[in-house]
Amino acid sequence: MKLVTAIVNKEDSKAVCNELLRAHFYVTRLATTGGFLMAGNMTLMIGTEDDRVDECIACISKCCKQRTEIVPGTASIGLGIESAMPIEVTVGGATVFVTNVERFEKL
């Protein structure tokens, strides 16, 4: 058994969850905040069998594409740094971790 932990952009999270549910994966969503842009993210936790990990990651990849956005000049870009000029940043995509599960119980 594996635990797939995926950090996705908040805007992509609904589509990702719908895709995972269509593929019969169980998903737990946690609202999180990124450290660099202080923007909303969603952390998804998906427990799955070893042989379905690639299918799970394919579902996530299908809905999470990187794109560029312009951040207003008054937005903090992390570490207390502020910019007077708008900044173009890359958002979206997903960060995925796959870990072994030693024990799983559904109570």
Side-chain angles (χ1 to χ4, degrees):
M1 180 127 230
K2 302 287 187 192
L3 175 65
V4 178
T5 305
I7 303 165
V8 302
N9 187 282
K10 186 170 68 173
E11 293 177 20
D12 297 330
S13 65
K14 187 174 182 177
V16 174
C17 288
N18 288 338
E19 188 67 27
L20 288 165
L21 291 172
R22 267 193 290 278
H24 304 287
F25 289 101
Y26 294 103
V27 182
T28 299
R29 300 181 324 158
L30 304 169
T32 53
T33 303
F36 180 63
L37 295 174
M38 302 308 246
N41 291 323
M42 199 63 73
T43 299
L44 308 176
M45 296 171 48
I46 306 117
T48 188
E49 297 80 18
D50 292 6
D51 61 344
R52 294 194 69 205
V53 170
D54 290 337
E55 180 185 355
C56 178
I57 292 173
C59 289
I60 296 165
S61 178
K62 180 177 180 180
C63 300
C64 294
K65 301 298 179 198
Q66 288 188 342
R67 57 198 171 272
T68 58
E69 290 183 2
I70 303 296
V71 175
T74 57
S76 174
I77 58 172
L79 304 173
I81 301 169
E82 291 189 14
S83 171
M85 302 283 293
I87 301 170
E88 186 174 352
V89 295
T90 302
V91 297
T95 301
V96 180
F97 302 92
V98 179
T99 53
N100 291 321
V101 175
E102 187 173 317
R103 181 175 173 176
F104 170 77
E105 293 184 33
K106 191 166 186 173
L107 306 173

